[in-house]
Amino acid sequence: MATASIPRVRLPAQAKPGELIEIKTLISHEMESGQRRDSAGKVIPRKIIKQFVAAFNGKTVFEADWHPAISANPYQSFFYKAAESGEFTFTWKDDDGSEYVAKNKLTVG
Amino acid sequence: MVLKSVEKTRRETLTLAAMAGLALLIAPRMSLADEAAVAAEIKKLYGDKKLESGKIKLDVPEIAENGLVVPINVEVESPMTDSNYVKTVHVFADGNPLPGVVSYRFTPACGKAAASIRMRLAQTQNIVCIAEMSNGALHSVKANVKVTIGGCGG
């Protein structure tokens, strides 16, 4: 079932100063809850993305701690008030220590 | 001798099969969190601080047909300035194996304290949302979601 986790991010490329933009993110991940059992009755070990971090020009603007109750292929949306041009860095942190990263540029003006 | 060994294998196989069957019977009856578990989580975070109502708009479906994917949108009323903003929002579910769902940390740069995600719900239950403001005030709201098909691999 394990597939490569590919992040997808949707946000406008340009915004006016002070404009509120919505950022929509999606990543492919099974989000194995650690609550399920296989056919032999053994618990399938937990493997989820436990944290999502959004930073703009290196400064964290939004963070989310995800618990096993988050659905597979997690979707997360939030807002950002455009102030200056720069680059977003989105990081998804997996239980196994791996990190999935996406970067998106935003031009303000 | 040959017959005996075959029989032993068969007995082992049957025992294994019986055990697997038993496990399957037990599996769906996993222990679930309850209102007390959610209250304990909140107490762990904020002690006995007063929870005010209002300010939070919690958007969840009244009836969720599929407990595996239940959309939840939380929006907290706030000017989101450097001196007055929403710091943290915690979401709990009182009928899942674990009470925690998601915790958000906002900053004034967000401009608006709102976020959407999709969650799993094992059964019909209450969603509890706690918002912590930058001045320390706590707000809470509760909503019930009826789940037709549970979403915990049962």
Side-chain angles (χ1 to χ4, degrees), chain A residues 4-80:
Chain A
S5 290
I6 301 153
R8 279 190 284 164
V9 178
R10 187 171 287 181
L11 62 99
Q14 289 190 337
K16 291 184 181 68
E19 191 184 333
L20 202 59
I21 60 167
E22 187 176 15
I23 298 160
K24 297 174 177 177
T25 72
L26 190 68
I27 188 163
S28 44
H29 195 282
E30 63 260 56
M31 294 294 279
E32 188 57 62
S33 68
Q35 301 292 332
R36 297 198 307 152
R37 285 165 193 273
D38 61 18
S39 52
K42 259 177 58 187
V43 172
I44 305 171
R46 166 184 147 152
K47 189 186 182 295
I48 67 165
I49 294 175
K50 57 187 173 187
Q51 200 180 43
F52 168 78
V53 182
F56 189 74
N57 287 345
K59 194 171 171 268
T60 298
V61 294
F62 173 82
E63 275 181 298
D65 294 336
W66 293 347
H67 294 275
I70 297 306
S71 303
N73 302 325
Y75 166 88
Q76 175 80 70
S77 78
F78 60 98
F79 289 87
Y80 178 73

Side-chain angles (χ1 to χ4, degrees), chain A residues 89-103:
Chain A
T89 308
F90 305 103
T91 313
W92 289 259
K93 295 178 182 173
D94 196 299
D95 268 345
D96 69 8
S98 43
E99 291 188 353
Y100 318 109
V101 178
K103 288 175 191 283

Side-chain angles (χ1 to χ4, degrees), chain B residues 48-129:
Chain B
D48 288 320
K49 272 186 81 174
K50 193 172 160 263
L51 301 175
E52 295 169 52
S53 59
K55 295 231 182 201
I56 309 173
K57 199 174 141 243
L58 175 59
D59 213 348
V60 284
E62 221 171 284
I63 298 167
E65 272 180 28
N66 181 3
L68 275 169
V69 187
V70 184
I72 168 170
N73 180 47
V74 185
E75 189 178 334
V76 187
E77 211 181 286
S78 164
M80 294 304 272
T81 58
D82 286 339
S83 58
N84 183 0
Y85 64 98
V86 181
K87 267 171 79 175
T88 320
V89 170
H90 297 283
V91 178
F92 300 104
D94 68 8
N96 269 357
L98 298 163
V101 176
V102 65
S103 298
Y104 298 125
R105 279 183 295 282
F106 295 100
T107 63
C110 291
K112 182 177 175 183
S116 285
I117 200 161
R118 294 165 188 157
M119 63 184 169
R120 295 178 177 128
L121 295 179
Q123 58 176 8
T124 296
Q125 57 187 292
N126 293 315
I127 305 302
V128 181
C129 199

